[in-house]
Every structure is written in structure tokens, then in C-alpha cells.
Amino acid sequence: MTTADRRTAAETERDRQREEWALCSAAWRRHRRAFTDPGRAITEGMLRLAAPRPGERALDLACGVGNPALALAERVSPGGYVLGLDLSPEMVAEATAVAAEEGVPNAGFRTVLDEGALGVPDGAFDLATCRAGLQYMPDRPAAVRAVRDALRPGGRFVAMTLGAAERCMPFRLTNGIVARHVPLPPVAPEAGPGPVSLSSLDELTGLFADAGFTGLRTEVFEAPIFEAPDPAAAWELFTETAGPFLKLFAALPPGTREAMREDAVRVFGEAFPDGPVRPTGEVLLVCGTKPA
Ligand SMILES: C[S@@+](CC[C@H](N)C(=O)[O-])C[C@H]1O[C@@H](n2cnc3c(N)ncnc32)[C@H](O)[C@@H]1O
């Protein structure tokens, strides 16, 4: 593959991601508490490693509707600020609206066209985060290098990805449901960038080491990914927010969609017979420091 082919492939992938996330940005804002509240252990784990302090300048790459940018904004107050960057202009608009709605004055959001060119001055940030974002990027090494360049010497970067689909209940259950009704490749590394396509801790830490980060610390633990009050609400949440599936769902005949929904209600109900649907997944965290 030539350099030009690789560039084209990456751009095609970014276009796909941009389209998929645009379709669900409003739903991510509407359902944000279904992710942020149960997902607090993940965000707290990231912030523990990155150790934000008042007055610091933080960068949050692939910020979605503001997780963890909004939590970071509180930790760097007073005097600090957060810049959230995302490929999707729709996500950026929703994050901006959430920050205004929640009265967070020190977080701003901006669109990036390419994870390797963040459009921020070198050395402008004390710390950076990327929560459930690197796995969707076609050029992860370039993304980690771009974050390194944005950090001052001594700056910290913490990234979070998910373990393989078998170790992430939301994808294990939904892959099974979807595959029973449509011939869709499961959400898996072979399918290209996606939720569980950066599931090896070695690969994740290798990206940091190759970019020159030092003092690497890692954590692997199981944590809730989302919570819904009942199986029907869990399926609704999934079908409205699962970027990679949305075009497929929209194109299905109503009968297939309804059969899938009934299947999902049964599967989620069997997995959570006694209360809310709160599936867990394996969480991978890595934190490194840019050398002085
Ligand atoms: C699963 S969401 C995570 C959002 C948020 N960090 C969270 O944890 O709730 C993935 C986000 O990655 C963004 N994204 C995908 N590809 C990207 C890229 N190449 N550069 C920057 N952001 C990207 C999407 O637009 C989406 O908002």
C-alpha cells in the first residue's frame, strides 16, 4: 500500500466515523447519565492516574458529549481549563450545550479533522485524556504522538479502551442478538476501528512507549459500562447510541427490528433478572509522562 492509499483509507474511515457518531450525538446527550453515572469508576480511574490539579490546562481527545472533560473541568478549578476535541461536529455541539446547561464555564469544545493534527500549540497542556476514543481512530500512533506534542515536558496522558468483546458484556450480548437477525460482522478487531478494536494492553502501552512516554502505569479492571432501568430501556439505549450499528438498524424492515427487540428484551432479562440492566466490561487504562 502506498502512502497515498494509506491516507485515503484513513480518511475514508474518519468519514465513516463522523457519519456514525453524527447519527447518535443527540442520543448521547439525552442518555448521558446512563453512561456517566455507572461509568464513574472508569472516569475516576483515569483522573486518579492523570492527577489533575487546580490551575492546570487539560486536553480531552474524543470527548463525545463531555466525558471526562466536564469532570476534569471541576478538578482543574479554580484557574484551569479543559479543551475537548472530537471528530464529530455534532458531538462538539452537544458537548458545548451540556457544558452550558450544567454551568461549566471552563470547558470549551472544538472539532478536529484528523487525530494526528490537533490544531493546538505544542506544549500548551499539562495533562490529556482519551476515554473510549483511540480504538475508533485509523492512525492511533499519530494520535498519541499528537497528544505528546500538545503536552508540556512532564505532562501526563491517560487513555482508556475496552477489553475484547468476550470480556465486555454489552458487546458480547448485543453481538449475539444482532447476529441472530442480520448477517453483520460482529463488533470485532477484524471489522476495523470500533469499540473493542484496541483490546490488548500490550498494544495500548506500545503506542505510548513508541511515542516516547515514560513512567508507564497501567490498570485493568471490570466496571459497569451503562445502566438502564429495564431490558426494554437497555435495548433502546443501545439502538440509539451504538454508532457502528445505527445505519444498519435504520435500514432494517420493521418486522426484523421488532424481532430483534423482543430477542434483546429476553436476553437482557435473563442476564439481569432482578433489577436494572448494568452490564460490565473489562477496562484498560494506561498513563504515561512526556519526558522533560
Ligand atoms: C464511544 S465515544 C466516547 C466519548 C467520550 N469520551 C465518552 O467516554 O463518553 C467515541 C468518540 O470518539 C470520537 N471519535 C471517533 N474517531 C475519532 C477521531 N479520529 N478523532 C477524534 N475523535 C474521534 C467520536 O466522534 C465519539 O465522540
Side-chain angles (χ1 to χ4, degrees):
M1 206 189 256
T2 66
T3 306
D5 288 340
R6 261 198 307 279
R7 187 170 157 67
T8 306
E11 281 172 357
T12 304
E13 181 56 39
R14 285 187 204 102
D15 285 347
R16 179 170 78 93
Q17 295 288 338
R18 215 177 273 112
E19 189 187 356
E20 290 178 349
W21 293 105
L23 290 172
C24 59
S25 56
W28 270 78
R29 177 176 167 199
R30 198 165 57 249
H31 292 299
R32 66 185 185 279
R33 300 214 183 286
F35 292 101
T36 49
D37 295 352
R40 198 174 302 283
I42 303 173
T43 302
E44 286 303 321
M46 294 178 71
L47 299 190
R48 197 171 53 245
L49 288 173
R53 290 184 287 268
E56 287 195 314
R57 305 152 299 172
L59 180 72
D60 182 28
L61 180 58
C63 60
V65 297
N67 192 9
L70 298 173
L72 262 175
E74 201 181 316
R75 303 293 177 91
V76 297
S77 288
Y81 68 86
V82 182
L83 176 64
L85 298 176
D86 200 282
L87 186 72
S88 160
E90 289 80 2
M91 283 288 188
V92 166
E94 298 295 355
T96 305
V98 173
E101 193 178 300
E102 297 189 356
V104 181
N106 60 333
F109 299 91
R110 198 192 289 168
T111 306
V112 277
L113 296 175
D114 179 334
E115 64 275 11
L118 302 181
V120 297
D122 283 357
F125 294 91
D126 301 293
L127 71 147
T129 52
C130 184
R131 186 187 192 278
L134 278 180
Q135 61 262 52
Y136 297 98
M137 299 180 188
D139 195 346
R140 297 158 186 167
V144 178
R145 287 195 301 271
V147 171
R148 176 204 63 201
D149 292 346
L151 289 171
R152 62 156 169 88
R156 300 89 69 197
F157 178 31
V158 60
M160 171 262 166
T161 65
L162 288 170
E166 318 79 78
R167 295 195 292 279
C168 287
M169 204 176 180
F171 299 108
R172 194 170 68 235
L173 296 182
T174 54
N175 270 351
I177 296 160
V178 173
R180 275 195 288 282
H181 297 272
V182 289
L184 174 78
V187 170
E190 314 82 79
V196 291
S197 67
L198 181 50
S199 296
S200 146
L201 192 63
D202 284 349
E203 193 181 345
L204 183 59
T205 52
L207 288 169
F208 274 56
D210 290 348
F213 283 98
T214 57
L216 299 188
R217 288 169 293 153
T218 61
E219 287 186 17
V220 178
F221 56 91
E222 189 166 336
I225 306 294
F226 69 79
E227 181 173 324
D230 55 54
W235 183 242
E236 186 185 309
L237 184 68
F238 181 74
T239 53
E240 291 184 6
T241 58
F245 289 102
L246 291 191
K247 262 171 74 178
L248 170 97
F249 288 144
L252 290 177
T256 309
R257 268 210 299 271
E258 182 52 24
M260 236 193 223
R261 198 189 72 83
E262 285 170 10
D263 197 0
V265 168
R266 178 184 56 77
V267 168
F268 280 129
E270 283 168 8
F272 295 91
D274 301 320
V277 175
R278 194 178 165 88
T280 59
E282 185 181 75
V283 172
L284 314 181
L285 300 184
V286 60
C287 182
T289 302
K290 176 172 171 169

